[in-house]
Amino acid sequence: MPNPGDYGSLAIESRTTPRQRSVRQVQPLPPRKRSRNDISDCPHSLAIVRTRRGSVEKECSICREPYGTTPAGGDIIVPVKLPCQHVFCQSCVEIHYCDKISCPLPYCTKEFPIQPETCSLCAYWAKENGVPLLVTVRAAEMVTSIRKALKDLATETKLYSLSRPEMDRLMRHVKDTLTEHEWRYYSGNDLAEILDPFLLAVDQDAAYKYYGAKLVRPAPRGNAFPARTNDPDDYPAGREPWVAAFFRQWALEYERDNGEVKEGLGVPQKLHQRNPSGGNWPYKRILAHKTEANGTVMYLVKWVGKRFLDEWVGKNQLCQEDRMKYDIDHEVQHPGVNSQVVIKKRRTL
């Protein structure tokens, strides 16, 4: 059995430095007696507003119908208050909710987390609008599930049968990766890319050598694995290792069986603006670089999954080993840094 040290740390070194996302810490409020004026967290629980004489809000700002009146052939105009405290007529809110669960005002940034577990209307909206499901990383449970799935796959097709050393190396990677991301939550595609032992490796050739030819082998044509729809250019056509396709199949099935709509992520257009885990978000590779007017070098990176677009970041946000390798390959010069020193450091890793 090969020793991981035989191939150096490059084989299992991955890019884990990355993108920071701050998450506001919310302290739970002490339990209190609910009053009839309380509004449920569900956006469909609309509170009827009693209009008073002299009230500023006399009509709906969308349809311009006065509150309390009954248009010809219509229903009474009932004012309701949304979770953001803005008031509109119930009819206009219901029409707006058919398209988007949010405040109709374009400048209102209040998010309306849907509650599909407790509200049938939220559940229907989530189903019809394809709200992404997320899975919470539970390392022990997932390691057991992946090991069983690999054994079942090997029973069905001998092509995917692994020796004990090969299985041990792969499962060691799986356990370490899931433990690192414990209790964070990801989509199935995100999780599949994080588990891929080659995609995030700093030196893919070293990773191929470490895990062995059997794991690197592409899946045969006509296989049952789901197609790679996110970033198909991650691997050359027809060269994706079968184990990467296996992790995609497992992650999507796990998402289907255990996925949840997480609080704060019910509105798809807001998904790219937050990182629910609050930790490091890994990137797949450096795409390009540029030098600013002050000499600072910026790097364009491709993040894992679909949550974030390609972005320019500084060198401190990158895995140092990966960044140094890129600098050498592309002859990147940093102000005040001797390139020979960088090359020497690279060779001593």
Side-chain angles (χ1 to χ4, degrees), residues 29-42 44-48 81-83 85:
L29 295 175
R32 63 183 179 88
K33 184 177 180 180
R34 294 180 62 88
S35 69
R36 62 183 181 180
N37 294 324
D38 286 342
I39 301 178
S40 169
D41 291 334
C42 174
H44 292 97
S45 298
L46 304 174
I48 297 178
K81 183 181 293 185
L82 302 183
Q85 305 303 307

Side-chain angles (χ1 to χ4, degrees), residues 9-30:
S9 61
L10 296 183
I12 53 177
E13 182 74 23
S14 61
R15 309 179 180 102
T16 55
T17 307
R19 182 184 190 114
Q20 297 288 338
R21 275 286 183 274
S22 59
V23 175
R24 183 175 58 184
Q25 299 296 325
V26 180
Q27 297 296 331
L29 295 175

